[in-house]
Amino acid sequence: MNVNDIKALADRIRNEVRKAVVGQDTTVDVLLTAIFSSGHVLLEGPPGTAKTLLAQCFARSISLDFGRIQFTPDLMPGDVLGTNLFNFQTNQFSLTKGPIFTDLLLADEINRTPPKTQAALLEAMQERKVTIDGDTYPLNDRFTVIATQNPIEQQGTYPLPEAQLDRFLFKHTLDYPSREEELAIVSKHGTRTGMKTAAAFGIEPVVSAEELSEAVNSVAEARLQDDIIAYIVDIIRATRTTPALETGASPRAAAALATAARARAALDGRDFVIPDDVKLLALPALRHRVLLSPAAEIEGKTTDETLSAIIEQTAAPR
């Protein structure tokens, strides 16, 4: 599969998702980049901005089985992974699989559950396998987590541990739609309360599992020149020296940004990465991997403002 095939494939997915979701083109592009990079996405935004519907439609359009977990304060790790139950008829333990055994998992309001349960996702996200009572069970190679969370300032939430945040390729923030987009939303969805399924909107699979796997393998062949690699590393290292950040990005962040830039290039129909690919993805790839210093917080600075300044001040190759 060449880059033109990948671009056409991505366009089919975008057009299919637009049947149900209005005005989330940037979010769809983030999800496309993540799925072609074999990465996971954390979506943060206010309720009612189509996060759940978008994940459902996206999964259906790319022929992935969809699963959803509503995270709550009393959710336990076994409720996510599954557990071995004793069968009195056979006098043996049998595995009852949890909802994590799917292709695309929506971890809804992940920050409403304690860190112990949040951490149940770590092995699955990193290694695409699950260990239950000492036995390991593989997950699909395309296993992807799309997690949603409430904005940090809302009460009754648990911040995600830094180790788990680093497993997400992107953290993407959603805002309320424009007036024109909201008019279209009300026109399309204002017929009844509740949410219709992706199938009810006419969303159909437009990419097979085989095509998706082939596209992911082809993305890795996009060329990344030495000067682009140096540009990525310079951005990452700058996050460790700026006084506004207490903790900078890790080497894993640099490798993740390079992988995502390759996917972004392929989505645009190119087999080589350009500096604009890195600039476009640096903010969502880094905003959850750094911590503001106390002094910067007192001054009212934000993580996004600090990272944007670093990206602009780092010289890009020509």
Side-chain angles (χ1 to χ4, degrees):
M1 183 176 290
N2 60 41
V3 290
N4 290 326
D5 296 330
I6 295 175
K7 186 175 186 298
L9 180 149
D11 288 339
R12 296 205 305 269
I13 297 171
R14 291 187 185 101
N15 291 333
E16 200 67 18
V17 173
R18 287 190 187 113
K19 291 180 180 179
V21 180
V22 177
Q24 292 288 2
D25 291 347
T26 301
T27 308
V28 172
D29 282 349
V30 167
L31 295 180
L32 282 169
T33 305
I35 202 75
F36 288 152
S37 306
S38 299
H40 311 284
V41 180
L42 176 62
L43 300 178
E44 182 178 279
T49 49
K51 298 186 292 293
T52 301
L53 177 62
L54 177 58
Q56 286 184 348
C57 295
F58 189 76
R60 183 171 175 82
S61 68
I62 58 177
S63 304
L64 294 183
D65 290 334
F66 177 79
R68 179 177 180 269
I69 303 175
Q70 179 63 53
F71 281 78
T72 58
D74 59 348
L75 195 73
M76 298 298 291
D79 299 325
V80 176
L81 303 180
T83 187
N84 284 309
L85 298 178
F86 187 75
N87 188 326
F88 286 95
Q89 293 179 335
T90 62
N91 287 328
Q92 292 180 336
F93 284 94
S94 59
L95 174 65
T96 300
K97 292 183 176 181
I100 200 171
F101 287 90
T102 188
D103 295 336
L104 192 150
L105 177 68
L106 176 66
D108 212 359
E109 296 186 291
I110 191 173
N111 61 333
R112 287 189 61 205
T113 201
K116 180 179 180 180
T117 303
Q118 294 171 3
L121 291 173
L122 281 177
E123 182 183 22
M125 292 173 66
Q126 184 67 21
E127 303 178 31
R128 287 180 168 82
K129 65 180 182 180
V130 172
T131 301
I132 302 174
D133 293 342
D135 294 322
T136 301
Y137 304 90
L139 299 173
N140 191 314
D141 288 341
R142 299 278 74 79
F143 174 76
T144 302
V145 173
I146 299 177
T148 70
Q149 69 174 17
N150 297 323
I152 296 172
E153 64 270 12
Q154 292 192 6
Q155 296 182 354
T157 60
Y158 301 83
L160 270 70
E162 285 75 10
Q164 186 169 354
L165 281 172
D166 201 34
R167 298 312 196 277
F168 287 99
L169 176 61
F170 295 131
K171 178 184 177 183
H172 178 65
T173 56
L174 294 84
D175 203 351
Y176 289 112
S178 66
R179 185 175 187 275
E180 291 73 19
E181 291 170 343
E182 198 154 4
L183 288 170
I185 291 170
V186 173
S187 177
K188 182 185 289 286
H189 297 274
T191 57
R192 68 174 188 179
T193 58
M195 187 182 70
K196 293 192 290 186
T197 64
F201 284 104
I203 305 293
E204 297 294 340
V206 294
V207 177
S208 68
E210 292 76 16
E211 286 179 310
L212 183 59
S213 294
E214 190 177 347
V216 171
N217 293 332
S218 299
V219 160
E221 299 175 4
R223 299 195 307 274
L224 194 64
Q225 301 291 349
D226 289 345
D227 56 351
I228 301 293
I229 294 176
Y231 179 48
I232 293 173
V233 170
D234 287 344
I235 291 176
I236 298 301
R237 294 181 69 84
T239 66
R240 303 172 194 160
T241 57
T242 179
L245 295 178
E246 182 176 356
T247 303
S250 67
R252 183 193 312 202
L257 182 53
T259 302
R262 283 188 164 100
R264 182 68 257 177
L267 289 172
D268 285 345
R270 286 179 280 104
D271 63 354
F272 57 92
V273 176
I274 61 175
D276 284 348
D277 296 325
V278 178
K279 284 185 177 181
L280 182 67
L281 300 175
L283 191 57
L286 299 179
R287 60 161 56 105
H288 56 298
R289 291 183 162 103
V290 299
L291 291 175
L292 275 179
S293 67
E297 289 183 348
I298 292 173
E299 294 173 5
K301 294 181 179 179
T302 66
T303 301
D304 282 13
E305 290 172 351
T306 303
L307 286 174
S308 295
I310 290 173
I311 295 166
E312 289 300 320
Q313 293 168 7
T314 303
R318 297 184 178 179

